[in-house]
Amino acid sequence: MTADHPRPPPRRRFFALGRNELKGLLWQVLVVGIAVAVIVFLWSNTVTNLSARRITTGFAFLGREAGMPIADSVLAYNPRDTYFWAFVVGIANTLRVAVIGVVLATILGTLIGISRLSANWLLSRLAAVYVETLRDIPLLLQLLFWYVLMQALPAARAAWRPVEGVFLSNRGLILPAIPFGPPQLAVLGAAVLGCAVFYIIRRWLVAQQMRDGRPRPAWPFALGLMVVMPVAVSLALGVSWSIEWPQLRGFNFVGGLTLAPEYFALLIALVTYTSAFIAEIVRSGIQSVPRGQWDAASALGLRRSFMLRQIILPQALRVIVPPMTSQYLNLTKNSSLAVAIGYQDVVSIANTTLNQTGQAIEAIALIMAVFLTISLSISFFMNWYNARIALVER
């Protein structure tokens, strides 16, 4: 070999590994082997014990008639439906709590976290009391407190009416509602599609402006995609938009949207408890922004609300988002406490299925799979969002 063509380095072979590297590889193989052996032993022992007790395994029971009532569900359900559909209804009830709870807890926690940094002494002290009180009381006790409080409300005939069309009683919270069917869902889908397309177009317009420095208006696209297109779909389908007002008939309400006491108590407990932790996350994120950012914005004569919204919070998000993900996961998993007050989420339905069929392993496996899927979805989305807002080093 000449000087212009140096000899390539020799490849490292397995037998050429150093003593420490070989020892580390052997330890890894040993640990994996022990873990596999333990799993095989537990599985074999479980199958043997189930066979000895003549307990069948498998998920064939999901095709049988459930026969269980579900009082509060967002999906249509009948006791003659299968166990599989009952699980689907339970998953929908869990998502109904988790999704709405995450949104409300984020809004409330952000407001309280900002209030803790307020120059108003009374407002900051009230926010501090809110945070310290709710963080130090176990969630289960708060859940039972709200449920008992809901049961202590007056009957339907003497229901509280804070505003016109809204009733609060031991039957739950009753609100006016817009009837939703396939035509209304088509209009809503058109609006969501318009928002997604506008987001892509807006990014393209910003990229073009960064390339040539010439600003391009985005409002015509927003008007056409987010307003004109849904209105056109609504007119083409002849969708009628009306508000259904609840009315008292006998001992109960008819029409409108009813939030059952169990669901309402669970939602309030999860939102207030989680918002206390989110408030501290938001407060620490804002305080992590250098004081010079506030001083520079104040020197430009900017309003405090504008500074917070456009300058401080965007920089604080890199500190806020990672711990916020943990709180979203906690709220979702804490929704399983619904079984304590009788709200039929996926855990409650799985428990009923377990008692009726005896398929304990399968029922618990389904619960684990559901919460694992939801948690991984939340983690994936939040990690993606965190990567999008991360500061890019130049």
Side-chain angles (χ1 to χ4, degrees), residues 290-306:
R291 182 64 190 177
Q293 297 291 323
W294 290 94
D295 297 337
S298 300
L300 294 175
L302 300 178
R303 296 191 307 273
R304 186 176 179 84
S305 59
F306 182 86

Side-chain angles (χ1 to χ4, degrees), residues 89-102:
V89 172
I91 294 171
N93 285 350
T94 297
L95 292 175
R96 180 189 179 196
V97 173
V99 174
I100 298 178
V102 163

Side-chain angles (χ1 to χ4, degrees), residues 375-387:
S375 298
L376 289 178
S377 301
I378 295 174
S379 299
F380 176 81
F381 174 78
M382 294 300 292
N383 290 336
W384 169 82
Y385 180 70
N386 189 41

